[in-house]
Amino acid sequence: MATHSNLKNALIAFLAPLPSLLFYLSFLRHYHEDNPLYNWCYHHPLLFANVLFFFNVNILFYAIGYLQSSHWMIDLYWTVIPVMLVHFYANHPLAQYNVWRSKVVILLTWIWSIRLTHNYFRRENWQWGHRQDWRFTDMSHQFGKNWWWISFFVVYFSQQIFLIGICLPMYVVHSEDKPWNNWDFIAVFICLSAIIIAYYADTELYNFVSGNQKLKELGKPMVPNLDEGLWKYSRHPNYFGEQLWWWGLFLFAWNLGQTWTFVGALANSLCLAHVTVLVENRMLKQAYRAEAYKLYQRTTSVWIPWFKSSAKGKDKET
């Protein structure tokens, strides 16, 4: 039964983006013809991307999630949609860009996506649709019978704002043809550093969670807190790496004179700050780790890796 469900969800995930892909391919073949719809898509690439997102993700993904009573697919496609968007912008007929900058940004986006997709499936025991994000489950309990329509805005419409927003630098990179310069090298360094940090942080977290699961199965006490490796210097090094990636991507757009695109990375950072609060509150509700985590909060930086501070609060309690 589990294998059947896994195969079914895998098939759904592969078929779900086909409407957008097929329409875009049709547009690329026939945009030069006298067709009002294709003509609009030709002159408004950014709005075109938003329309495809609205109908294919907001509407179709929502319908699938509603029928399955699980909004698992948006989590998976968070790692895929940026790749689709960067290729959308690069192949649009109005695209103009420095070839090397375009190739580098596309390659970096693929590396980021593969890394995050691997982490997603590793966390989900290599299952398709194994579960939805715990925050969605909590909100479904909070909103009760109204969740069926609230979920459209919270889970899907909000993702359009965030994903289109943080991917704005990809649009800018394929809208400005300016020579490669030293700032591009700096942006590449930041993006690669971010991917490496996030990879090691998520791997350390995965090993910690897996180790605790084995201890639980053996009936032994679990380790209350991860305080080694990158987690010794930051309470959320994986979040830091993810945010560093988007700000590094923004640097490409800033270098091209489009400072306004910072709004996407900023909105995402603010959202992740809220998520950080939710995650830490959840940790503090777990009795076996509450005290250890309070000490961890007092001594360890939230996001940016830094040296430990003294646990003055602990001394006072003692």
Side-chain angles (χ1 to χ4, degrees):
M1 185 68 179
T3 302
H4 172 75
S5 176
N6 192 42
L7 290 174
K8 181 189 71 174
N9 287 334
L11 182 62
I12 290 172
F14 277 109
L15 294 177
L18 279 183
S20 287
L21 293 173
L22 293 176
F23 184 84
Y24 188 58
L25 290 175
S26 175
F27 161 75
L28 292 178
R29 290 182 61 186
H30 303 291
Y31 70 87
H32 54 277
E33 298 175 3
D34 187 20
N35 182 308
L37 178 58
Y38 287 160
N39 185 56
W40 182 88
C41 295
Y42 175 83
H43 288 99
H44 305 90
L46 192 55
L47 290 176
F48 182 17
N50 272 277
V51 170
L52 289 180
F53 195 112
F54 181 81
F55 284 105
N56 203 151
V57 179
N58 294 1
I59 301 297
L60 181 58
F61 281 27
Y62 166 75
I64 294 171
Y66 177 78
L67 292 173
Q68 291 192 317
S69 298
S70 175
H71 300 290
W72 63 272
M73 202 156 60
I74 192 65
D75 243 14
L76 171 60
Y77 268 91
W78 178 272
T79 74
V80 177
I81 289 173
V83 172
M84 300 174 72
L85 282 172
V86 75
H87 283 286
F88 173 94
Y89 295 134
N91 289 283
H92 193 279
L94 284 186
Q96 51 180 339
Y97 49 84
N98 176 276
V99 174
W100 282 109
R101 184 178 292 112
S102 171
K103 287 182 177 180
V104 166
V105 169
I106 290 173
L107 177 61
L108 287 171
T109 305
W110 270 100
I111 295 172
W112 169 85
S113 176
I114 291 170
R115 200 287 306 174
L116 197 57
T117 302
H118 168 264
N119 183 66
Y120 170 83
F121 280 109
R122 179 175 60 178
R123 187 188 70 210
E124 301 302 311
N125 298 314
W126 309 101
Q127 298 291 306
W128 297 80
H130 180 60
R131 59 182 175 176
Q132 67 177 357
D133 190 299
W134 62 269
R135 288 160 291 195
F136 300 158
T137 302
D138 285 356
M139 285 188 284
S140 69
H141 297 152
Q142 177 184 349
F143 293 109
K145 62 181 181 180
N146 292 316
W147 177 240
W148 73 270
W149 65 268
I150 292 176
S151 60
F152 174 81
F153 297 98
V154 173
V155 179
Y156 298 97
F157 188 72
S158 64
Q159 302 291 345
Q160 176 169 358
I161 297 172
F162 287 126
L163 275 168
I164 294 290
I166 57 180
C167 289
L168 284 173
M170 299 174 183
Y171 170 70
V172 171
V173 164
H174 295 99
S175 302
E176 302 280 349
D177 185 5
K178 294 181 180 179
W180 179 278
N181 60 36
N182 289 335
W183 282 108
D184 291 299
F185 283 113
I186 295 173
V188 170
F189 175 77
I190 292 174
C191 287
L192 284 176
S193 298
I195 293 170
I196 292 170
I197 290 170
Y199 169 76
Y200 278 104
D202 277 333
T203 298
E204 289 169 349
L205 178 60
Y206 173 78
N207 291 337
F208 173 77
V209 172
S210 299
N212 259 353
Q213 184 60 36
K214 290 178 182 178
L215 291 173
K216 184 178 181 181
E217 291 171 358
L218 293 172
K220 297 181 178 180
M222 291 187 290
V223 180
N225 195 46
L226 173 56
D227 192 15
E228 298 178 349
L230 291 174
W231 298 80
K232 182 178 181 180
Y233 305 99
S234 168
R235 302 205 300 269
H236 303 279
N238 51 347
Y239 291 176
F240 171 72
E242 182 68 6
Q243 291 309 295
L244 191 63
W245 154 259
W246 292 114
W247 284 104
L249 198 63
F250 158 72
L251 191 57
F252 283 107
W254 174 85
N255 185 37
L256 294 171
Q258 302 299 326
T259 308
W260 62 275
T261 58
F262 83 94
V263 296
L266 178 61
N268 195 53
S269 292
L270 292 174
C271 178
L272 202 55
H274 175 64
V275 170
T276 299
V277 174
L278 295 179
V279 170
E280 297 210 340
N281 286 341
R282 192 183 191 213
M283 300 287 257
L284 293 171
K285 289 178 181 177
Q286 299 174 1
Y288 80 97
R289 70 173 10 142
E291 287 304 315
Y293 202 80
K294 287 178 182 177
L295 175 61
Y296 187 53
Q297 286 179 313
R298 291 197 297 269
T299 61
T300 312
S301 170
V302 182
W303 276 1
I304 301 174
W306 196 248
F307 299 104
K308 293 269 188 187
S309 60
S310 60
K312 294 181 180 178
K314 182 183 179 184
D315 296 336
K316 290 180 181 179
E317 288 176 6
T318 305

